[in-house]
Amino acid sequence: MPTDSDSDSDLPPCDLVLKGGITSGVVYPRAISRLARSYQIRGVGGTSAGAIGAGLAAAAEYRRRRTGSFDGFEGLDRIVADLATRVRGQTRLEGLFQAQAGTRVPFAFLKFLLSASPTKKIAAFSVLPLAFLWFTVWTGVTLVTLTFDSPPSLIQTLEFAAAYAIGLVLLAGLIKKFVSKQVREFCRQNYGLCRGFDRWKHTPGKPQLTQWIHDELQRTAGLPEEEPLTFAHLEGDSEFLLAKKSSVSGKNLSRRDRVRLRLVTTCLTHSRPYTLPFQEDKFYFDPAEFRELFPESVVDWMIRNGQAESIEITPKEGKPFKVYPLPEHGHLPVVVAVRMSLSMPIILSSINLYCQDKVRPDNLPEKTIFTDGGIVSNFPIHFFDEFVPRYPTFGLNLIFAQRDMSQLHHLLLELQTQVFGKPLCEMSPVLSDMAKCLLEHWDRRPGLGGFLEGIYDTARGWKDTTQLGLPGYRDRIQDIYLDPRSEGGIHFDMTPDEIEALAKKGEEAVDLLLSKFSSADGTPSASWKNHVWTRYRITMFLLSQKLRLLQEVFNDQEFQELIRSAGRDAPGFHFGVDTSHHTDWKGDWCDSGLPPSPASHQDGLEQADRATRQLVDFLNSWDSSVFLRSNLPNPLPTMRLAKEV
């Protein structure tokens, strides 16, 4: 086991991406610790429940880089056993999700819907309504019998029916009032049955979710309670840590040893995902709201370390309140980022930040709602991706389905008989492994419920699903098959044995990755060589394709003249001198927001013209036909432009 920085520095680097899955996150702690014994984790990313695992992995790796100790990862080994411990009739895992006082009834009903057997659901939605109807009729008949000694007259019958109907209406009114109260409380808690934190309620041995995440992050990173782990710690920002009098500033990471943590959250107000930490400093937070969601020490730290003065907002209804800027770029506490990525709709409250609407005359910050990152990307495998990687980016992919091995056996048989003529294992273990990745994803969920779930999962996950099948992605991703009837996901009430079995699956998945990508003598494995060669072939093919199109365009003299005239006459994006990045609103359409001088623009035009001619000369002499030949990896990806989130 690694115990000092010298031995750890000899380990090869890797990146790691973790998929979301609510309670399925218990699959990750031991898997991360197992991987850390063979690799240094340079970058780690995730979303939703995968964000918890990613944050803990970053904290443990930070501690190892800073102190040379493996204690952080050993702490991850103990997390699963702790979550499986029963406290007052519940496992600690189930106890992390505690509804607030006003939403306990709907939360209990939701847990029933999510975990009950089909028989119990049929009873709830079929037998119970019939029983209520029978009770209503029986009550009416009984009341008639008790009220009248002889058969009632028509007038008496009508009077009784009216009184009974009024009673039913009053009962329906009480039910409606109760439901309305629950809905109002649900909305007041920012559309979540649980906040994940309650500063007024502390049950010994049963911390709520956010408090547990914060405690584990601090313990894993080896930091005191009053100094939350931030992205500045992970990324080795010594200037920031010295300025804030950090307790670990004297033994900070070098830039080479920094740990990159990237998480995803979804902003419903802006209809887009954001990568955490934010790339722009434009959001504010309300300390009063945050104290309902995070420990006091975290909120106090954020107020002290804000980069500007607070702004007072006067709403149309209610009292004025102050919002503070989030700590400057990269210095956000990790627990805040994890919780923002983890805001599972309905179950966990969303989080409000405030942002200035640039078209409003007063330009005051307005509320923006952030929720679960898994809505837009439940498995952000694109994190840390390079055209030709120098080290692997592993992915652990959770699949809620029973594994169907018949397809795999059929495919292997077809390949070995029709393509190679002999068993694949005799050809190469890499080819045998690649065959598993050629299977199409099947989701056989029957009935109306399966149809609706399929719509939701496809809408949010189609991009991840299609990317997972690409060569250069699929071979470094290890699938973990979970039983949708009892394992992870929406099952809050898993037994200790089920939690233990789930964690075991994570360890087995990492062992499979290590068996493919690690070698005893430290030399590159066959799978790693194949991965690099595949990415090289794809990259050179795509470059050859795109550059051939550029060659056709730039060899057209008429088009070259159009570019030159556009450079002289176009109204914006003129060449200017290099400036630091501005966060002014003009930076949304121009990186500096500063007007260039005519001289600097003219100089830029001349340099651009020379560079374009040099590129054309190179393309005219570059023979890339070898990269366009057959036997390319399949299916081939496309190269496109996309906004960084």
Side-chain angles (χ1 to χ4, degrees):
M1 179 187 300
T3 56
D4 56 67
S5 56
D6 291 336
S7 61
D8 290 344
S9 63
D10 295 333
L11 296 176
C14 78
D15 295 325
L16 178 63
V17 180
L18 307 175
K19 188 176 183 179
I22 312 181
T23 61
S24 309
V26 298
V27 80
Y28 293 132
R30 289 184 186 169
I32 293 166
S33 178
R34 178 68 187 88
L35 183 66
R37 286 173 166 82
S38 300
Y39 282 91
Q40 294 182 57
I41 302 176
R42 291 277 180 88
V44 58
T47 186
S48 192
I52 301 178
L56 292 172
E61 188 63 57
Y62 161 75
R63 185 172 183 176
R64 175 162 71 173
R65 302 286 183 86
R66 182 170 62 86
T67 67
S69 168
F70 201 73
D71 291 348
F73 290 108
E74 289 182 341
L76 298 189
D77 284 334
R78 294 189 290 268
I79 282 179
V80 174
D82 180 64
L83 291 176
T85 303
R86 286 197 179 276
V87 179
R88 300 182 184 179
Q90 287 184 326
T91 62
R92 280 206 174 96
L93 174 63
E94 185 177 1
L96 296 179
F97 299 89
Q98 299 179 32
Q100 314 315 125
T103 53
R104 285 175 186 164
V105 173
F107 183 63
F109 182 64
L110 177 65
K111 288 174 66 176
F112 169 78
L113 292 181
L114 295 177
S115 60
S117 65
T119 303
K120 291 181 179 179
K121 290 180 181 178
I122 291 173
F125 290 101
S126 300
V127 177
L128 289 181
L130 291 175
F132 180 76
L133 178 62
W134 174 86
F135 177 78
T136 303
V137 173
W138 176 83
T139 303
V141 172
T142 302
L143 288 176
V144 168
T145 303
L146 295 175
T147 304
F148 303 102
D149 295 330
S150 59
S153 65
L154 177 62
I155 299 298
Q156 290 175 321
T157 301
L158 292 176
E159 290 176 345
F160 176 83
Y164 189 62
I166 292 173
L168 291 178
V169 169
L170 292 175
L171 177 61
L174 291 175
I175 295 174
K176 178 178 180 297
K177 183 178 180 181
F178 173 78
V179 172
S180 299
K181 180 181 178 182
Q182 300 299 308
V183 171
R184 285 196 304 271
E185 188 66 19
F186 174 77
C187 295
R188 189 187 70 81
Q189 292 184 182
N190 229 20
Y191 314 107
L193 298 174
C194 303
R195 286 202 300 264
F197 180 79
D198 190 340
R199 57 176 171 160
W200 306 115
K201 179 182 177 183
H202 298 283
T203 304
K206 289 182 64 174
Q208 295 194 36
L209 182 62
T210 308
Q211 183 68 58
W212 179 85
I213 294 171
H214 176 62
D215 293 343
E216 291 298 331
L217 285 173
Q218 298 303 107
R219 186 181 300 113
T220 303
L223 291 175
E225 166 72 19
E226 64 275 6
E227 184 181 343
L229 177 69
T230 69
F231 289 88
H233 291 95
L234 301 178
E235 298 184 2
D237 192 338
S238 56
E239 182 179 343
F240 175 83
L241 295 175
L242 285 169
K244 304 306 177 186
K245 298 181 175 58
S246 166
S247 62
V248 297
S249 59
K251 34 189 177 177
N252 188 37
L253 301 179
S254 67
R255 296 297 291 177
R256 177 182 174 276
D257 290 333
R258 69 177 184 169
V259 183
R260 294 179 298 164
L261 173 64
R262 297 294 180 265
L263 308 174
V264 181
T265 186
T266 303
C267 181
L268 299 181
T269 310
H270 294 164
S271 303
R272 55 161 290 188
Y274 279 93
T275 298
L276 298 168
F278 292 114
Q279 301 303 306
E280 306 173 76
D281 299 322
K282 65 178 183 180
F283 289 107
Y284 298 78
F285 72 98
D286 178 3
E289 291 180 346
F290 265 48
R291 292 187 199 281
E292 299 294 323
L293 298 167
F294 298 99
E296 196 83 13
S297 59
V298 174
V299 181
D300 290 343
W301 191 94
M302 292 177 66
I303 294 174
R304 291 196 307 269
N305 293 280
Q307 61 179 346
E309 296 296 327
S310 61
I311 298 178
E312 184 170 275
I313 299 177
T314 303
K316 293 181 180 178
E317 298 180 2
K319 298 179 180 179
F321 62 96
K322 290 184 178 181
V323 295
Y324 290 76
L326 288 176
E328 59 189 89
H329 167 65
H331 304 143
L332 188 71
V334 172
V335 65
V336 175
V338 170
R339 178 62 178 81
M340 289 184 67
S341 182
L342 188 64
S343 303
M344 295 167 286
I346 299 178
I347 296 175
L348 279 176
S349 302
S350 57
I351 291 180
N352 295 334
L353 293 180
Y354 293 80
C355 180
Q356 292 171 315
D357 183 352
K358 296 156 190 174
V359 301
R360 281 189 58 177
D362 56 12
N363 204 29
L364 287 174
E366 286 188 77
K367 181 171 71 174
T368 55
I369 300 175
F370 286 83
T371 187
D372 188 16
I375 291 177
V376 290
S377 180
N378 206 33
F379 190 27
I381 193 61
H382 60 278
F383 278 163
F384 319 117
D385 199 26
E386 301 290 345
F387 282 126
V388 182
R390 299 181 64 181
Y391 52 84
T393 297
F394 297 126
L396 295 180
N397 181 33
L398 306 179
I399 298 178
F400 291 92
Q402 296 290 335
R403 188 168 190 174
D404 183 0
M405 299 300 293
S406 60
Q407 285 184 300
L408 178 60
H409 290 309
H410 176 72
L411 179 61
L412 290 173
L413 183 63
E414 288 293 313
L415 286 173
Q416 71 182 42
T417 56
Q418 297 184 16
V419 181
F420 299 108
K422 56 182 176 179
L424 290 179
C425 58
E426 296 180 14
M427 294 286 296
S428 167
V430 173
L431 293 176
S432 179
D433 183 66
M434 287 170 58
K436 302 174 186 177
C437 305
L438 299 177
L439 299 175
E440 191 69 60
H441 173 73
W442 285 80
D443 192 347
R444 299 180 176 91
R445 285 182 283 197
L448 177 61
F451 175 73
L452 297 176
E453 288 178 4
I455 291 175
Y456 173 71
D457 287 344
T458 303
R460 72 169 182 159
W462 69 268
K463 183 177 179 181
D464 296 334
T465 302
T466 52
Q467 196 163 14
L468 295 182
L470 293 177
Y473 286 86
R474 61 196 182 201
D475 51 329
R476 57 188 170 89
I477 296 168
Q478 188 60 50
D479 294 334
I480 303 175
Y481 284 83
L482 307 181
D483 187 343
R485 297 168 299 182
S486 61
E487 290 184 321
I490 57 179
H491 299 286
F492 300 101
D493 56 351
M494 288 187 292
T495 66
D497 289 342
E498 289 171 336
I499 293 173
E500 183 68 29
L502 199 56
K504 185 66 175 176
K505 288 187 176 183
E507 291 182 282
E508 292 171 351
V510 168
D511 286 338
L512 289 172
L513 281 175
L514 294 176
S515 68
K516 291 188 292 184
F517 284 88
S518 295
S519 58
D521 58 1
T523 58
S525 66
S527 291
W528 174 236
K529 288 180 179 178
N530 180 75
H531 177 74
V532 173
W533 177 249
T534 300
R535 295 300 292 261
Y536 169 74
R537 286 290 309 272
I538 291 173
T539 298
M540 297 306 288
F541 167 78
L542 294 174
L543 285 175
S544 301
Q545 236 186 7
K546 297 299 183 182
L547 290 176
R548 278 194 171 189
L549 295 176
L550 278 179
Q551 182 182 11
E552 295 176 9
V553 170
F554 287 155
N555 275 326
D556 186 335
Q557 296 297 322
E558 183 177 344
F559 191 80
Q560 286 191 37
E561 181 52 40
L562 173 62
I563 292 177
R564 294 190 188 96
S565 64
R568 292 190 301 268
D569 305 332
F573 311 113
H574 288 179
F575 290 110
V577 296
D578 290 337
T579 59
S580 61
H581 180 74
H582 284 237
T583 56
D584 180 81
W585 70 270
K586 288 177 281 189
D588 282 358
W589 60 272
C590 181
D591 59 357
S592 71
L594 302 176
S597 66
S600 64
H601 181 55
Q602 182 59 37
D603 181 60
L605 287 176
E606 294 172 1
Q607 293 183 47
D609 190 52
R610 287 195 300 271
T612 304
R613 288 200 304 270
Q614 290 170 359
L615 177 61
V616 171
D617 292 341
F618 165 73
L619 294 178
N620 289 335
S621 62
W622 186 39
D623 180 10
S624 62
S625 58
V626 66
F627 299 114
L628 302 173
R629 292 178 186 170
S630 61
N631 293 328
L632 286 163
N634 190 52
L636 285 168
T638 59
M639 187 183 292
R640 65 185 182 89
L641 299 176
K643 186 180 186 301
E644 185 177 0
V645 297

